[in-house]
């Protein structure tokens, strides 16, 4: 059995775990990201957390998942989105120097895709696309059993593929991106617009919780057959299906795994999305794929990054 450490460098927390080669977590620690003030402090913190979980295990290396642009080949974080002064950081070299172990740095969506493919919901598939529907939409692609990261490691920004020319303004500054219609944030926007015009139980579900209305309330209300919520769910699941159709026509995957906070909506999301996607793809694709919920939950980043070192990819 081989052992490896995975690190997920998130915006709110840095999670580190000792795992076996099957992605089973043996020891896990996490620290708040905002306690680190400089890049040097983050690196010191990462090294300390790796030493904390590894104990006396003979680990083969450390996999690190990071949001933003990552140059995997050279082990450099080009532009993190989550940490102070986190630009052009030669993280691989710095960590290798301090730990004397092989280090691999990957984009977090790519790590997640590999984790779900290797030990999660995509296990046994050949070509798998992982889509995370959360604040935005991210994705990672496994082609013929290999993680596909593109020439520069940027492949998979499927949330910013365009589904409507000159459409809704996206957080990226452009218009009509998939995530401007189908992310959790966009679902909340559409639900709020609908709730301004018509009465809906979504308003009460949100105020009972004392928070502003979000995708969770939308799906909860749809489950209660709230008419407005059902209509919005119909609209946003149409948008998800359009994006999945583009993915299916591009990659011909046998499996699409959907993760991220919005996937927790469960059947209320998956049932219409699967049905609509099957209906709108070209006939030859119709029975070539499955669409399934992610299995690794919050640990997807750490497990994915770690299994990249022990898996076939290594
Ligand atoms: P992040 O984008 O920070 O990675 P998450 O993956 O948790 O965060 O996704 C957050 C999104 O998921 C929010 O839009 C939230 O409303 C939505 N969400 C969380 N739980 C549910 C749920 N049970 N059903 C539908 N949407 C949910
Ligand atoms: Zn965009």
């Amino acid at each position: 059995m081989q052992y490896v450490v995975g690190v997920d460098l998130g915006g709110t927390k840095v999670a580190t775990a000792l795992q076996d080669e099957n992605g089973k977590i043996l020891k896990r620690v996490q620290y708040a990201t905002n306690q680190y003030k400089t890049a040097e402090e983050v690196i010191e913190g990462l090294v300390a957390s790796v030493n904390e979980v590894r104990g006396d295990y003979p680990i083969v290396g450390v996999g690190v998942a990071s949001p933003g642009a990552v140059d995997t080949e050279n082990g450099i974080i080009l532009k993190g989105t989550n940490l102070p002064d986190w630009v052009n950081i030669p993280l691989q070299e710095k960590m290798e120097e301090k730990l004397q172990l092989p280090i691999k740095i990957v984009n977090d969506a790519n790590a997640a895709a590999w984790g779900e493919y290797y030990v999660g919901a995509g296990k046994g598939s050949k070509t798998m696309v992982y889509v995370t529907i959360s604040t935005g939409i991210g994705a990672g692609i496994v082609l013929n059993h290999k993680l596909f990261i593109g020439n520069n490691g940027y492949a998979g920004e499927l949330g910013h593929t365009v589904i409507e020319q000159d459409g809704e303004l996206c957080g990226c500054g452009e218009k009509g991106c998939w995530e401007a219609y189908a992310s959790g944030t966009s679902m909340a926007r559409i639900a709020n617009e609908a709730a301004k015009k018509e009465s809906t139980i979504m308003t009460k579900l949100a105020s009972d919780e004392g928070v502003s209305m979000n995708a969770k309330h939308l799906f909860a209300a749809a489950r209660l057959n709230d008419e407005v919520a059902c209509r919005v769910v119909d609209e946003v699941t149409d948008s998800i299906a359009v994006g999945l159709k583009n993915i299916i026509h591009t990659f011909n995957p046998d499996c699409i795994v959907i993760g991220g906070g919005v996937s927790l909506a469960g059947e209320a999301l998956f049932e219409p999305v699967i049905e609509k996607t099957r209906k709108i793809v070209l006939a030859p694709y119709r029975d070539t794929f499955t669409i399934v919920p992610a299995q690794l939950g919050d640990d997807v980043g750490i497990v994915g990054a770690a299994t990249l070192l022990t898996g076939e990819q290594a």
Side-chain angles (χ1 to χ4, degrees):
M1 185 65 85
Q2 288 188 317
Y3 298 93
V4 61
V5 171
V7 180
D8 187 2
L9 263 180
T12 48
K13 62 182 193 285
V14 176
T16 305
L18 171 72
Q19 293 154 63
D20 69 18
E21 65 194 38
N22 301 317
K24 184 173 170 224
I25 291 176
L26 305 173
K27 184 170 182 189
R28 185 188 199 284
V29 295
Q30 72 181 51
Y31 296 98
T33 309
N34 65 11
Q35 69 177 298
Y36 306 115
K37 301 286 171 267
T38 63
E40 277 309 315
E41 275 182 37
V42 179
I43 295 165
E44 287 298 332
L46 290 183
V47 168
S49 72
V50 172
N51 282 328
E52 189 180 350
V53 297
R54 75 195 277 198
D56 295 328
Y57 280 84
I59 61 173
V60 296
V62 182
V64 182
S66 167
V70 178
D71 174 352
T72 294
E73 201 170 296
N74 298 303
I76 298 171
I77 296 193
L78 300 172
K79 186 158 184 14
T81 51
N82 52 340
L83 293 157
D85 65 4
W86 206 238
V87 178
N88 287 327
I89 307 290
L91 187 64
Q92 180 181 338
E93 187 188 315
K94 296 220 172 215
M95 288 182 72
E96 278 176 353
E97 214 174 85
K98 292 182 202 286
L99 287 162
Q100 298 294 312
L101 285 166
I103 310 289
K104 184 162 181 144
I105 322 284
V106 284
N107 166 273
D108 58 354
N110 288 332
W114 185 256
E116 289 291 346
Y117 162 77
Y118 199 64
V119 295
K123 199 171 170 179
S125 64
K126 181 180 173 194
T127 290
M128 185 209 86
V129 179
Y130 170 78
V131 177
T132 168
I133 308 181
S134 45
T135 309
I137 293 184
I141 301 149
V142 175
L143 287 181
N144 292 324
H145 307 291
K146 290 251 178 248
L147 184 65
F148 175 75
I149 63 169
N151 238 356
N152 303 93
Y154 307 160
E157 286 289 359
L158 303 184
H160 302 286
T161 54
V162 173
I163 63 166
E164 182 145 349
Q165 201 173 0
D166 282 330
E168 284 293 334
L169 185 64
C170 178
C172 73
E174 296 295 322
K175 285 181 178 170
C177 296
W178 189 25
E179 76 171 40
Y181 295 87
S183 66
T185 312
S186 302
M187 291 179 188
R189 171 181 53 81
I190 298 165
N192 275 293
E193 280 164 12
K196 269 190 216 140
K197 294 188 206 125
E198 287 171 90
S199 101
T200 155
I201 199 171
M202 291 192 282
T203 315
K204 179 171 166 25
L205 294 177
S207 68
D208 281 354
E209 260 185 57
V211 295
S212 50
M213 193 196 296
N214 62 40
K216 199 173 94 184
H217 307 117
L218 167 65
F219 284 95
R223 262 183 237 109
L224 297 169
N225 288 320
D226 179 84
E227 203 185 311
V228 177
C230 288
R231 212 180 320 129
V232 175
V233 165
D234 192 39
E235 179 182 336
V236 299
T237 52
D238 272 350
S239 301
I240 295 175
V242 168
L244 297 183
K245 169 184 175 166
N246 293 338
I247 291 173
I248 289 161
H249 288 181
T250 308
F251 299 107
N252 184 21
D254 50 339
C255 182
I256 294 178
V257 176
I258 301 184
V262 175
S263 73
L264 300 175
E267 277 302 293
L269 172 84
F270 281 86
E271 205 186 302
V273 163
I274 292 169
E275 191 190 320
K276 288 169 186 215
T277 307
R278 286 213 193 286
K279 206 179 267 172
I280 60 175
V281 291
L282 287 174
Y285 294 95
R286 201 144 290 154
D287 300 312
T288 58
F289 59 88
T290 55
I291 298 174
V292 293
Q295 283 177 359
L296 300 179
D298 272 353
D299 291 329
V300 70
I302 29 181
V303 172
T307 46
L308 267 167
L309 282 154
T310 50
E312 289 160 56
Q313 191 81 19

